[in-house]
Amino acid sequence: MSPAVRTVPGRDDRDRDDLVLDVAGLSVHAGDLPLVQDVALSVRRGERVGLIGESGSGKSLTALSVLGLLPTGLRASGRVRVATAQGPHDVVGSSERAMSAVRGRDVAMVFQEPMTALNPTMRVGRQVAEAMRLHGVDARAAGARAVELLADVRLPDPAAAARAYPHQLSGGQRQRVVLAMALANDPGLLVADEPTTALDVTVQAGVLDLIVAGVAARDAGLLFISHDLAVVATVCDRVAVMTDGRIVETGDVAQVLTAPDHPYTRRLVAAADLSVVDDRGRLTGGAGTRRPSAPPARASSGGSAAAPPEHDRPGDGSADWLGAPIIEVSGLSRTYAGRRTSWRARPEPVHALRDVSFTVARGERLGIVGESGCGKSTLLRLLAGLDTPTSGTVRIEGAQVSGRSERELVPLVRRRLQLVFQDPMGSLDPRMRVADIVAEPLVAQGLPGGRERVRELLTAVGLDPDAARRYSHQFSGGQRQRISIARALAPSPSILVADEAVSALDVSVRAQVLDLLADLVDDLGLTLVFVSHDLAVVRHLCERVLVMEAGRIVEEGPTAALFEAPDHPYTRRLVGSIPTIAGALRGDRPADLAAGAGSDADSDVTTDPSPARP
Amino acid sequence: MLARLATLLGSLAVSSVVVFAFMQVLPGDPARVALGLNASEEAVAAMRSHFGLDRPLLVRYLDWVGGLVSGNPGESYISRAQIGPQLADRFAVTAWLVLAGMVIALLIALPLGVLMAVRHRDAVGLVTSAVSQIGVAIPSFLAGILLIAVFAVGLRWLPAGGWTPPAVDPAAFLARLALPALSLGLVQGAVLARYVRTAILDVMSEDYVRTARSKGLTPLRALWRHGLRNAAIPVVTVLALQLATLLIGAVVVERVFVVPGLGSFLLDAVAQRDLVVVADIVMVLVVCVLVVNTLADLAYGLLDPRTRGVR
């Protein structure tokens, strides 16, 4: 990659140590409520600084303050000084006009959500060119340079990409466009706010590589905001840790992550590292998250127990109990009618699932990993009887699922298999009380159990039984996910299927929910099917794993063995592209991950941006 | 595009059957109505065969549709005059009225809606929003009466009613168009402004507008260059639906201002049980609404590349 850096007169002559960002005493208030307090940060030319924090820590507001882009109603005070060609510019108190001249020229930003960051009604090339035209480049030169920039971020056929609309590009490609746009004027400082959080790991590796290379080629400073310690460790030299609106620790990446000083940092680092568990295999050591000692599962026989009353369960959840597998999938395929691209051509069918076969033993914890569009969601829908396969069969406890009417499915599937979904915000009805949410599967299936059962379930997932009277928006993301789990457990299922159930949670909360899931599976003798893009989580939780790519299972085996010695090239790419703290401390850089991803950063090119779903 | 055209033709065919069926179901033999109560059976029979009412239903349907398509819908049952020329004249009047009403509505709604959205937090936004609420609540005929009271009776600036075709006297045409068009446009403009406000507010919180600002666009320029086209997409939907409202509004407003448009034509025809004329007018209105909706659908394609298919 050799971006044609336009030389800014005098830039090279300057002191290499000059600050491109100098923040001191920055506070952000909403009315009288402080959201960010007394933040101090500095970024030098050529330096990559990470800002780590969980949701609500104030890290994104800090990033927006640097560009003077705080949402209306929020007020910044303190000093935010960015370097410009005309010397340092104070952002706080700057006029809108002066700030507009600085934005995009001296300071640029890459946002989290590539799917919505681009104007859907404007061609990509024009949007990149616009960034330059706003700062004095004429239309023809800007258009030509836009294509060069798109080539720099390694979009295949950059001239065609420039003419494309955003919806014609995949998420990874769109984020490359946003990056090209941000780097268009060779800014002295790039602010990247969770730039790869929404992307698959192999795509992430490529984008991180481009960010680091683009910044390095321009000798610019990088302020990199992320909740992901491993990503920050891989990208950055220095790191600041933020919580509750304050920076609690700053230092070299190696020092902060190996010898954290502040208790919060220590907790965060511990929670992020899923390989460190106590002798009971727990992440959080039990404090505050362990359920009340008496599991409700076996508290009594009959309808009130969380375990299915009709048959006894093995205490140890051994895999070969009853001999027969609890889930049998054989030759499963699902083909969707593709979208019509013209009125003459036949629509291309989309093969979401191709001849998938596997079994799950009773009490087993099975992980399914794969990137977006690999068919995991389709597989789950078929398992749950929410969709009908094109061919092949699904059997749950020996009973055939596919082709049944909704009425037949209730006793066959709904009572035995329950789902926990990814989005703890969207999957709970905001107008229902928690008690009604949790009791709904019981009501819907005509099962006994009332207020008592709800209290029992809420206790089982570590919530106060009084939560039953409240609404879901009154809970945090982690608590909502607990409510989702309580709801799933209500009909005493034997199988729990979790679809990216911890992906939307902060690391510290994630650890608690993972422990909760593990406890419940053990105590209730559940079978767990855990779908995730996050290999570390699967590795921690599951005994066996299936790796899916393009609708097929490409590899399966015991988790530890499979991740240690992946056999299939795709698994190797997947494992190789995951950033880890340990790897970063050994000196892995984004370029290494991108190489591990086997991508000359084009791995996301084949990803269908919007697979047709019925 | 072709599919859209096929849908349009299909809807037209279905609605023509419905309108024709209505004409058959309504009580009253047109021939008897035309000749009066004391007509002899022979005269009624002769009249029926003159109008072709004694032919099979299908033939009469095809005849009617054929007449409309060829622009020669035949003669009225009552006045025995040719319907075609009269329909064309009346349609031109209503078209001017609706068009002018739409232009006024847009001229009001676009700036007002943007203003309400951009200033939605301060007094300006609050006041304009309240004013537009009042506009939404007033029916167009009431607005018409108020306008007459102020501008025709009180200030004597404009005529209270009547019509002059533009070819005859352009100045008089505009003077007589002004009040009825205003009474249609003010109300529709107030309604439309609410939608424009919502669309702009939605767009202002979109990520791509923030991206545009991070490139160095001021808030207003970001809205202008990246927001308006996106905000136009939902507004076009409403606009197409509003045309139907405007046509119905025109029927009433034409009465208030004594304008010889389709509306007054329709009301007269209904009063006289002139069923062919009623059916023809209704069909013309149906065609207008369907064609405008099709145009709106095609406009999405121009505004939103995502609806254009893959590439």
Side-chain angles (χ1 to χ4, degrees):
Chain A
M1 164 159 173
S2 57
V5 180
R6 287 184 298 130
T7 45
V8 177
R11 184 172 270 189
D12 292 343
D13 312 331
R14 263 190 246 150
D15 182 5
R16 282 194 54 85
D17 275 340
D18 60 354
L19 289 171
V20 286
L21 175 65
D22 177 19
V23 177
L26 170 69
S27 295
V28 177
H29 286 81
D32 289 333
L33 183 73
L35 301 174
V36 171
Q37 280 180 289
D38 199 23
V39 160
L41 259 181
S42 66
V43 180
R44 289 171 191 284
R45 199 164 277 289
E47 193 181 30
R48 301 188 296 268
V49 177
L51 184 57
I52 289 180
E54 299 189 288
S55 51
S57 63
K59 59 188 194 303
S60 288
L61 291 179
T62 305
L64 290 171
S65 304
V66 170
L67 278 90
L69 279 180
L70 284 175
T72 34
L74 299 191
R75 190 167 36 83
S77 57
R79 184 176 77 207
V80 176
R81 195 169 283 169
V82 294
T84 73
Q86 290 82 40
H89 179 88
D90 278 309
V91 175
V92 177
S94 168
S95 74
E96 185 56 47
R97 176 173 291 274
M99 212 44 232
S100 293
V102 170
R103 277 187 217 120
R105 184 190 68 194
D106 303 298
V107 189
M109 185 152 177
V110 175
F111 297 96
Q112 170 167 6
E113 194 40 78
M115 302 313 268
T116 53
L118 294 168
N119 181 348
T121 59
M122 199 190 259
R123 289 181 199 276
V124 157
R126 274 192 63 200
Q127 298 194 47
V128 177
E130 186 187 36
M132 289 173 278
R133 296 195 56 193
L134 285 170
H135 299 287
V137 181
D138 73 83
R140 182 176 293 271
R145 177 81 182 114
V147 176
E148 284 172 35
L149 283 161
L150 292 176
D152 286 347
V153 294
R154 284 175 246 166
L155 281 174
D157 195 353
R163 287 191 303 274
Y165 286 101
H167 72 276
Q168 293 163 327
L169 305 177
S170 70
Q173 290 173 329
R174 290 188 212 189
Q175 198 62 311
R176 287 151 197 253
V177 171
V178 174
L179 180 62
M181 208 153 75
L183 294 176
N185 295 306
D186 305 322
L189 174 67
L190 180 69
V191 180
D193 186 3
E194 304 266 12
T196 58
T197 304
L199 303 176
D200 282 325
V201 276
T202 54
V203 179
Q204 163 173 283
V207 172
L208 290 178
D209 182 24
L210 286 171
I211 290 177
V212 170
V215 167
R218 289 161 177 83
D219 195 24
L222 173 68
L223 179 62
F224 189 95
I225 290 105
S226 181
H227 70 285
D228 190 327
L229 276 70
V231 169
V232 169
T234 311
V235 169
C236 300
D237 321 311
R238 231 155 34 86
V239 59
V241 181
M242 204 164 174
T243 181
D244 290 335
R246 291 176 187 277
I247 287 182
V248 294
E249 186 163 3
T250 312
D252 282 346
V253 164
Q255 179 237 317
V256 170
L257 293 183
T258 50
D261 200 31
H262 193 274
Y264 174 77
T265 317
R266 259 178 266 154
R267 280 208 307 279
L268 197 65
V269 172
D273 189 352
L274 294 175
S275 61
V276 179
V277 291
D278 64 15
D279 49 355
R280 276 150 56 236
R282 297 181 55 81
L283 295 162
T284 48
T289 63
R290 185 67 185 167
R291 297 173 295 100
S293 53
R298 268 156 275 161
S300 63
S301 57
S304 70
E310 58 266 37
H311 46 69
D312 225 343
R313 304 204 144 270
D316 60 354
S318 67
D320 54 2
W321 186 70
L322 281 186
I326 191 165
I327 301 175
E328 281 176 278
V329 172
S330 73
L332 201 63
S333 295
R334 180 67 172 99
T335 307
Y336 295 114
R339 208 183 325 171
R340 226 170 233 283
T341 52
S342 96
W343 61 278
R344 265 168 306 177
R346 290 186 138 276
E348 285 284 311
V350 178
H351 298 282
L353 219 53
R354 310 171 195 232
D355 192 22
V356 166
S357 302
F358 65 94
T359 60
V360 186
R362 190 175 289 278
E364 194 179 16
R365 299 178 187 180
L366 176 75
I368 300 179
V369 298
E371 300 190 278
S372 46
C374 74
K376 346 182 258 276
S377 302
T378 305
L379 177 60
L380 284 197
R381 290 176 57 84
L382 292 173
L383 278 184
L386 297 171
D387 190 11
T388 312
T390 310
S391 63
T393 55
V394 174
R395 283 171 185 279
I396 304 257
E397 295 190 325
Q400 164 103 29
V401 168
S402 38
R404 302 275 188 169
S405 71
E406 187 61 27
R407 182 184 294 270
E408 291 174 307
L409 280 175
V410 170
L412 278 179
V413 181
R414 306 272 185 270
R415 202 160 298 170
R416 299 175 189 190
L417 180 149
Q418 281 286 317
L419 292 157
V420 178
F421 297 101
Q422 168 170 10
D423 183 358
M425 308 291 161
S427 58
L428 301 177
D429 187 335
R431 282 172 200 83
M432 282 170 77
R433 288 183 197 277
V434 167
D436 298 325
I437 290 174
V438 173
E440 196 169 37
L442 300 174
V443 176
Q445 299 182 18
L447 294 176
R451 208 167 298 166
E452 254 327 285
R453 174 77 174 139
V454 169
R455 294 177 70 87
E456 214 174 80
L457 287 162
L458 288 176
T459 314
V461 296
L463 288 175
D464 186 340
D466 290 336
R469 285 199 299 272
R470 291 155 72 188
Y471 290 95
S472 61
H473 68 260
Q474 294 169 298
F475 295 89
S476 69
Q479 289 171 324
R480 288 185 217 206
Q481 208 55 316
R482 287 168 191 266
I483 296 170
S484 295
I485 294 171
R487 170 180 62 180
L489 292 177
S492 309
S494 44
I495 306 164
L496 195 62
V497 176
D499 186 4
E500 302 276 8
V502 296
S503 303
L505 304 178
D506 281 326
V507 276
S508 57
V509 181
R510 180 183 74 175
Q512 294 167 12
V513 174
L514 284 175
D515 276 350
L516 171 70
L517 274 175
D519 289 345
L520 289 169
V521 166
D522 281 350
D523 294 348
L524 306 178
L526 295 176
T527 305
L528 181 70
V529 177
F530 190 89
V531 175
S532 183
H533 72 283
D534 188 335
L535 305 191
V537 169
V538 169
R539 185 171 189 167
H540 164 73
L541 197 62
C542 301
E543 299 148 357
R544 194 160 65 93
V545 63
L546 308 177
V547 181
M548 289 186 68
E549 186 202 14
R552 290 196 182 83
I553 294 176
V554 294
E555 191 165 1
E556 73 170 287
T559 313
L562 188 137
F563 285 151
E564 237 111 81
D567 196 32
H568 191 274
Y570 176 72
T571 317
R572 280 208 291 274
R573 280 217 314 277
L574 204 58
V575 173
S577 59
I578 305 167
T580 58
I581 295 177
L585 296 177
R586 278 197 309 270
D588 281 359
R589 291 291 136 216
D592 303 316
L593 297 181
S599 63
D600 6 348
D602 277 350
S603 60
D604 55 323
V605 168
T606 51
T607 313
D608 184 352
S610 53
R613 290 276 158 77
Chain B
M1 176 84 186
L2 278 174
R4 197 65 200 81
L5 231 55
T7 317
L8 173 64
L9 289 176
S11 328
L12 282 175
V14 171
S15 42
S16 70
V17 171
V18 172
V19 170
F20 183 75
F22 253 106
M23 197 163 54
Q24 303 310 313
V25 174
L26 287 176
D29 182 344
R32 208 172 279 286
V33 173
L35 289 172
L37 288 171
N38 300 326
S40 66
E41 286 303 315
E42 294 77 43
V44 169
M47 187 60 100
R48 287 180 65 87
S49 87
H50 175 75
F51 286 134
L53 291 170
D54 50 353
R55 292 174 301 160
L57 214 55
L58 186 65
V59 175
R60 278 160 51 205
Y61 170 71
L62 291 176
D63 197 40
W64 176 66
V65 170
L68 277 177
V69 171
S70 67
N72 179 23
E75 61 185 51
S76 155
Y77 290 160
I78 309 295
S79 66
R80 311 288 287 274
Q82 285 294 318
I83 301 172
Q86 212 180 350
L87 200 59
D89 287 352
R90 300 289 192 123
F91 177 74
V93 172
T94 300
W96 277 117
L97 201 56
V98 169
L99 211 67
M102 206 54 147
V103 168
I104 291 171
L106 281 171
L107 286 178
I108 293 170
L110 293 184
L112 194 69
V114 173
L115 184 72
M116 284 194 287
V118 173
R119 307 286 292 268
H120 72 283
R121 283 169 183 276
D122 62 27
V124 175
L126 221 64
V127 169
T128 43
S129 195
V131 169
S132 80
Q133 289 282 22
I134 296 170
V136 171
I138 296 178
S140 53
F141 72 88
L142 186 59
I145 292 168
L146 290 174
L147 286 173
I148 291 177
V150 175
F151 292 101
V153 180
L155 296 170
R156 295 185 179 279
W157 287 358
L158 293 164
W163 186 256
T164 310
V168 176
D169 181 354
F173 163 71
L174 285 179
R176 295 194 142 152
L177 180 66
L179 288 186
L182 262 179
S183 56
L184 280 176
L186 281 178
V187 174
Q188 292 300 318
V191 176
L192 195 60
R194 312 285 316 165
Y195 286 101
V196 172
R197 173 182 184 269
T198 313
I200 299 273
L201 273 180
D202 283 351
V203 159
M204 283 201 309
S205 61
E206 287 284 356
D207 284 356
Y208 52 78
V209 171
R210 187 181 60 181
T211 306
R213 293 200 56 201
S214 80
K215 289 198 266 188
L217 283 157
T218 58
L220 276 180
R221 286 179 75 198
L223 181 63
W224 178 253
R225 296 178 59 155
H226 293 271
L228 285 193
R229 182 166 166 186
N230 285 290
I233 295 166
V235 170
V236 164
T237 317
V238 178
L239 210 59
L241 292 174
Q242 274 201 318
L243 191 95
T245 324
L246 267 179
L247 282 171
I248 294 163
V251 171
V252 183
V253 166
E254 282 172 11
R255 255 296 136 101
V256 173
F257 288 94
V258 207
V259 174
L262 275 186
S264 46
F265 195 23
L266 180 67
L267 293 180
D268 291 344
V270 169
Q272 294 173 1
R273 293 196 166 271
D274 199 347
L275 289 186
V276 196
V277 175
V278 172
D280 288 348
I281 295 171
V282 170
M283 214 42 225
V284 168
L285 296 178
V286 166
V287 170
C288 287
V289 170
L290 288 177
V291 165
V292 166
N293 274 304
T294 305
L295 289 178
D297 270 10
L298 296 178
Y300 293 151
L302 292 178
L303 286 170
D304 189 351
R306 285 167 297 186
T307 60
R308 263 181 243 163
V310 174
R311 202 169 274 237

